[in-house]
Amino acid sequence: MESKMTSNMKSSVNIHRDFIDEVLKADADAQRDAYIDDAGFTLRVMDALPSATSMSTVRTSRASRTSRTSRTSLSPTKRFSIIFGMAMVAAIIATVFLSSDNLLIDASMDVATDTITPSVIALIMITFVTSVVSVSAILGKR
């Protein structure tokens, strides 16, 4: 029974060969051994590139320069505390100013009608807090 299943599965797979792919592969195979003389251009370009060791020296000097001039970074615990605290502030703002079931819809409708309501204020505060947290997280990774 298993052999019937595998034979049925093999027959249901239909491999479609693309004509253009076949032509391109055949052309690439035919041109693979062909050499195009560039009068030493490739060698001159490769010689002009900096070596890997000199690039690592440049990266090291840049890193030491930025670490001396950059601000001291916060510990992961402090970063988590700041982000968690901002999220809690946003949740409290949403809870205090939430006047109905859906803050986003109510605040969007109030903004569309140029009406300032507690929902609009809460949405603005949540957007601000989220933006600050996002920017601090992005800048903290650098």
Side-chain angles (χ1 to χ4, degrees), residues 22-88:
E22 298 296 326
V23 170
L24 290 173
K25 286 178 186 176
D27 187 51
D29 287 339
Q31 299 296 323
R32 182 166 291 157
D33 295 329
Y35 175 75
I36 300 173
D37 185 24
D38 63 355
F41 175 76
T42 304
L43 291 175
R44 288 193 306 273
V45 169
M46 293 304 290
D47 288 340
L49 292 174
S51 66
T53 56
S54 66
M55 287 306 294
S56 66
T57 305
V58 169
R59 286 187 199 115
T60 305
S61 67
R62 283 184 187 166
S64 64
R65 222 178 334 165
T66 56
S67 65
R68 279 182 284 177
T69 58
S70 67
R71 292 178 270 177
T72 59
S73 72
L74 297 173
S75 69
T77 306
K78 288 182 182 178
R79 282 188 191 166
F80 174 77
S81 301
I82 291 170
I83 292 172
F84 184 74
M86 293 289 224
M88 291 306 296

